[in-house]
Structures are given as structure tokens and as C-alpha cells.
Amino acid sequence: MAQGSETTWLWIGTAGMLLGMLYFIARGYNVKDERRQKFYIVTTFIAGIAFTNYLAMATGFGVIDLTDIAPWLVGTEFLGDKTELLIYWPRYTDWILTTPLLLYDLALLAGADRNTIATLVGLDVMMILTGLVATLTVSPVNDSIGIGAHRIIWWGVSCGFFLALIFYLFRGLADRASQLSGQTKSTFNTLRYMIVGIWFVYPVWWIVGTEGLGVVGLPIETAGFMVLDLTAKVGFGIILLRSHSVLDDAGTSQAAPA
């Protein structure tokens, strides 16, 4: 069972994702246009997936102690005086499902082709998977490199995929984005810069948190991830769905020949 003040932040995240999901369902309930429905369906699933994963973490189902799996971690330089290393693994099942959907929403808005979408999603999945490897790395104590160094190496690999993703997010969608109308183009740019800005904070927050250098404790780390997740998912959806004219124009852009 999750313990400590971090549980409060997890319940706040659970409630926020639930309210976001219900809001998107209510807002799109009477939408009949198929082009608009795509955005409502994807955005609702983003909040719904995040809700279930936050619920798992808040109820204690989604937390493991790596020292139970790798007892040699206790007493190492990596852990210091700590005797446990709690990992909330549903963060990664959340991210590996929701972040591709966020990119899919953004690509739909720009009218991107399948190859562009596949490239964005592929880079994103590699970024999350290598980040998970960094989190779960528990190399033996007698390793000459050291546990902390192994984790930072995989964190760096994950950041490399992230930088490639950001590069392609601008280069791969540049032509399509330039064809959008005023309001739709403005919304697209807002969401793209929103994703880039927020996603840049995630690896920084990881490296200063308990899974990285341990500069901040678990409650503060949990609160930070919760705020980032709510902004990146519910905030993103609110901005995306606030104007049906934007969604209609996005559908027109997508239907146009390359």
C-alpha cells in the first residue's frame, strides 16, 4: 500500500484525471461529426488511461520496492541511508499508452500522414521504454561502473530518443502545420510548444527525484509528476477541444492531398 504524504498527491491526480475524463465525455456526448469524434475519443481515452493508473498507484497496487527484488541495493552509495526504493510502475504503463495518443491528437490536428505518425509514436515508445530500463536498473554491487551510473546511462539514452522526437515533431510536421488556417494553426502551435515544454521537465524531474540523484524526496517528486501529468493530459485536452471550428479545419487539412 502506498504510504506517506505522496498518497494524497496520488489521490488528487486520480480525481483530476477522473474529472477530466468525465468532462471530455460530457462535452463530446452529442457530437455527431466523425472528424470531431476522433479527437473526443482519443482525448477521453488519454484521461481514462491516466485515471486507472493513478487509481492503481493511490490504492497501493502500483508500487513496488526494488530493494525486495535487489536486496544488495541497501547500504550502497546509491541509496545511502535509505532502506527502500519505491517505484510507481503504473507511471510507465500510463506514459507508454497516453503519450502516443497525445502525439496522435497533435498529428491529426496537423493532418499528418501515417509515416509521420508512425515515426513520432515509435520514437516516443523507445523514449518511454528506455526510461523504464533506467528506473528498473539494479546492477550488482560489484559492477565496476556502479548502479547510479548505469541508471544515468539509460536515462541519457531515453533523453536521446526524446530529442530526436522533438526534432521530428517540428521537422516532420512543418509542411502540414504551415497549411493550417489562423485559429487552427495557433491551437496547433500552442499544443506543440506545450508538449515540448512539459515533456522537457519530465527527465529533469526524474534525475533530481528518488530514482535519480535523490535531490527531492518521494512526496515532492510525486506532487511534481502529478502536476505535469494533469497539465499534459487534461490541460492539453481542454485546449484542443475548446473550438469545434478548429477540429473541423483539422479534418479538412487531413483530407487534403500531400
Side-chain angles (χ1 to χ4, degrees):
M1 186 74 176
Q3 299 177 351
S5 58
E6 65 269 13
T7 308
T8 301
W9 297 112
L10 293 173
W11 279 114
I12 292 174
T14 303
M17 296 301 180
L18 175 61
L19 291 174
M21 179 183 67
L22 294 176
Y23 171 76
F24 298 143
I25 291 174
R27 184 170 173 81
Y29 186 75
N30 291 319
V31 172
K32 304 301 182 184
D33 184 89
E34 291 186 1
R35 288 175 297 181
R36 297 178 185 176
Q37 285 177 342
K38 288 182 181 179
F39 291 99
Y40 281 100
I41 291 170
V42 173
T43 307
T44 300
F45 268 108
I46 290 171
I49 292 168
F51 160 68
T52 57
N53 282 280
Y54 261 89
L55 180 62
M57 291 188 287
T59 56
F61 173 75
V63 60
I64 58 173
D65 184 356
L66 279 190
T67 60
D68 291 338
I69 303 171
W72 60 82
L73 287 174
V74 178
T76 62
E77 183 179 352
F78 174 69
L79 277 185
D81 296 332
K82 296 184 294 183
T83 59
E84 63 180 11
L85 180 59
L86 299 181
I87 301 297
Y88 288 102
W89 57 263
R91 282 189 186 139
Y92 293 90
T93 57
D94 174 351
W95 294 339
I96 204 166
L97 293 173
T98 59
T99 54
L101 290 177
L102 286 166
L103 292 173
Y104 181 63
D105 255 345
L106 194 62
L108 279 180
L109 188 61
D113 56 50
R114 292 181 179 179
N115 287 344
T116 299
I117 295 174
T119 303
L120 289 171
V121 171
L123 289 170
D124 178 71
V125 169
M126 292 302 298
M127 175 186 71
I128 302 300
L129 287 178
T130 51
L132 177 60
V133 173
T135 295
L136 297 179
T137 294
V138 286
S139 59
V141 170
N142 59 5
D143 191 298
S144 59
I145 298 179
I147 299 170
H150 274 291
R151 298 169 74 86
I152 292 176
I153 288 172
W154 279 107
W155 171 83
V157 173
S158 179
C159 289
F161 281 112
F162 171 59
L163 293 177
L165 170 62
I166 296 305
F167 174 79
Y168 199 77
L169 191 60
F170 282 88
R171 184 180 180 88
L173 295 179
D175 290 340
R176 293 286 185 164
S178 65
Q179 299 173 17
L180 298 174
S181 66
Q183 187 180 4
T184 305
K185 187 174 184 178
S186 176
T187 299
F188 171 81
N189 286 330
T190 297
L191 294 174
R192 180 166 60 175
Y193 283 112
M194 182 179 179
I195 282 183
V196 171
I198 294 173
W199 286 15
F200 256 112
V201 180
Y202 276 99
V204 174
W205 201 240
W206 187 96
I207 199 67
V208 302
T210 59
E211 298 164 19
L213 301 176
V215 177
V216 300
L218 187 58
I220 297 176
E221 176 189 294
T222 304
F225 277 127
M226 183 272 295
V227 172
L228 289 171
D229 284 341
L230 278 176
T231 306
K233 297 175 176 64
V234 178
F236 179 98
I238 290 173
I239 294 174
L240 174 65
L241 302 177
R242 64 186 174 183
S243 172
H244 281 174
S245 63
V246 168
L247 304 184
D248 292 341
D249 185 61
T252 302
S253 173
Q254 184 186 14

